[in-house]
Amino acid sequence: MNKAESFPITRRSRASLAPGPKGSAILGVMSEFTRDTLGFIERCRNYGDVVSMRFLYLTTYFLYHPDDIENVISTNSKNFIKSRNQRSPLFQRLVGNGLLTSEGEVWKQQRRLTQPAFHRHRINAYAETMADYAQRMISTWREGEVRDIHRDMIRLTLEIVVKTLFNSDVSSDADTVGRVLSRIVTPFAGQATIKWILDNRLPTKTHRLFNQDAREMDKIVYRIIDERRRSGQDEGDLLSMLLKAHDEDGSQMNDKQLRDEVMTIFLAGHETTALTLSWTWYLLAQNRDVEKKFHAELAEVLGGRLPTMEDLSRLPYTEMIAKESMRLYPPAYALGREAVKECEIGGFRVPAGAQVFMFQWATQRDPRFFVQPDKFYPERWTPEFSNSLAKYAYFPFGGGPRACIGNYFAMMEIVLVLATIGQTFGFSLLPDHPVSLLPAMSLRPADGITVKLNSR
Ligand code: HEM
C-alpha cells in the first residue's frame, strides 16, 4: 500500500505520540532551534521520520519522509492551514491577507483571479524581458570587478517581476527595496518562525525599524497601483486583472486587499528566484567541471546571442544545474502547516492545533533518496532519475493546492538569466569574503556573495 494512503484522518486516534527532543521545561526546544536552526533540523532526523517537540506551549512536528509530506500538503491538505508563524501579526503586516497567507474561500477566489497571469502562453511572452534585463544589467560590468552578486540578482529579479506582471519600472527603487528587504527579514532569522509568535507585539527597536521598513515598501507598492489607476490603461497584465476585480466588486477586493496581493507577488516573486540564481553562481564558482560543461552548452546552443523561449528545451544541462542548486540550497527551505483536526501521520497521533513543519533543506539531502546527497551533481537529474524519485523527496516549489503559482515563471527566468549572464561572465569567490547561511524567511547568504568577475 502507498504510505500516504495509510494515514487516514481519524476522529479519535489511539496512535502514540512521536518521539523527539524534550528541551527545557519552559521554552521546550526554542533555544536549540534558535541557536542553530539548520543543524537542529538535521539532528532531529535521528529520532525518525516523524518527530514531536514543544516550542513553548506549541506542540510541533517535524516530518522528514516524502510520503508524510505528501499526506499533509496534498492528500489531506484540507485538514491543514498555514502554520502560526505565517499568521503572525509581523508577517501579516508585510504581506497581509494576500495569496500566500489567505485561507478557504478567500484564497480560492484569489488563486482563480491570479492564475491567468501565470498561464504558460502568457509567461512565454515574458522571456524577452527576462533576457533583455539581464543583458542590460551586465552591460556595465567589467572584468576583474568585485561585486555582491546576490545584491545584483535581487535587483534584477525585482525589476523583471515588476515589469512583466505590473508593467512598471522600479529601477530607481530597486536598491531601496533590496536594502529594506534584507533588513526586514532580519527579525525572522534564527528565531525564524516561532519566537515571533510571542513577542511580535513588543515595542522593541527591531519592531520599530521593521514597521518603518514596511511603510517604505508600502509607498512603492501604492505608487505602482496609483500610476496604473491614473493611466486608466488596461495593460492585460496581472495588475490590470487585480484592478478590474477591485473596481467591479469593491466588496471583494478593497484597497488594502489590492495592496496585499501586489505586495505578495512583489515579495514572493523575486527574492526566491534571486536566491536560486545567487546560490547557483556560488556553486558554479566551486565546481569548475560543471561550469565548463555549462559554458559548452551555451556556446553550442546560443553562440553568443541572447536566449529566447524556444531555446529553453535546448538547454537541458542549464536546467539540471538550476534543479540541483535548488536541491542543495532551497530558497524556501521549510513549509509550515497547522492541523485543523486531530489526525495520524506516519502512524503517530497529531493533535488539532499542532504545528507541522517539513523541510526541503533536510529531505532534499536525505541519502535514502539522493546518492552522495551533499555533492553538487547536476548529472543526477536524468529523466529516469526524476521519474523514479519519490514525489515529495524534492519539492522546492511545495505541492498540492498551495503549490507555488510562479513555478514555471521562475524556472524560465532562472534558465534565461543563467544563460544570458553565463555567456559573458564567470565568477570567482574571494577567500576574505566567506559565505554563510542565514535561514530567515528564506535561505539567504548572511552577508551577500562577493565575487570577482571573469570575462569569458
Ligand atoms: C525559485 C523561485 C521560487 C521558489 C523556490 C518558490 C517557492 C514557493 C513555495 C515552496 C511555495 C509554497 C508555500 C507553502 O506551501 O506554504 C510558494 C508559493 C507561492 N509562490 Fe513561489 N517560489 C518561487 C518563485 C515564485 C514566483 C516567481 C512567484 C510569482 C511571480 C511566486 C509566487 C508565489 C505565490 C503567490 C505563492 C502562494 C500560492 C498559494 O498559496 O496559492 N513564487 N512558492
Side-chain angles (χ1 to χ4, degrees), residues 82 86 99-100 107 111 118 161 165 264-265 268-270 272-273 276 326 331-332 335-337 360 395-399 401-407 409-410 413-414:
K82 295 276 175 126
Q86 295 168 78
L99 186 56
L100 198 60
W107 167 75
R111 181 99 188 184
F118 292 93
V161 82
L165 297 176
T264 296
I265 298 291
H270 84 285
T272 41
T273 313
T276 299
M326 276 191 281
L335 289 184
R337 296 289 188 269
Q360 288 93 336
F395 56 115
F397 294 102
R402 303 299 301 245
C404 178
I405 202 169
N407 179 343
F409 181 107
E413 180 176 359
I414 291 161

Side-chain angles (χ1 to χ4, degrees), residues 269-308:
H270 84 285
E271 210 230 349
T272 41
T273 313
L275 283 165
T276 299
L277 289 163
S278 304
W279 290 124
T280 305
W281 297 127
Y282 172 69
L283 286 161
L284 287 172
Q286 295 169 87
N287 292 273
R288 293 298 181 198
D289 289 349
V290 176
E291 192 191 41
K292 220 189 244 168
K293 275 178 80 174
F294 166 57
H295 289 159
E297 181 174 85
L298 299 183
E300 191 191 321
V301 176
L302 303 173
R305 66 176 169 78
L306 281 187
T308 63

Side-chain angles (χ1 to χ4, degrees), residues 125-141 152-172 174 277 306-307 409 413 416-421:
Y126 305 152
E128 205 179 319
T129 304
M130 293 169 174
D132 279 352
Y133 273 42
Q135 182 63 32
R136 187 179 74 178
M137 182 179 73
I138 61 173
S139 64
T140 57
W141 290 6
D152 288 325
M153 295 300 111
I154 286 273
R155 188 189 171 99
L156 176 62
T157 55
L158 179 70
E159 287 180 9
I160 289 175
V161 82
V162 171
K163 179 67 190 168
T164 51
L165 297 176
F166 306 137
N167 195 18
S168 184
D169 192 341
V170 284
S171 35
S172 57
L277 289 163
L306 281 187
F409 181 107
E413 180 176 359
L416 290 172
V417 170
L418 287 177
T420 303
I421 299 178

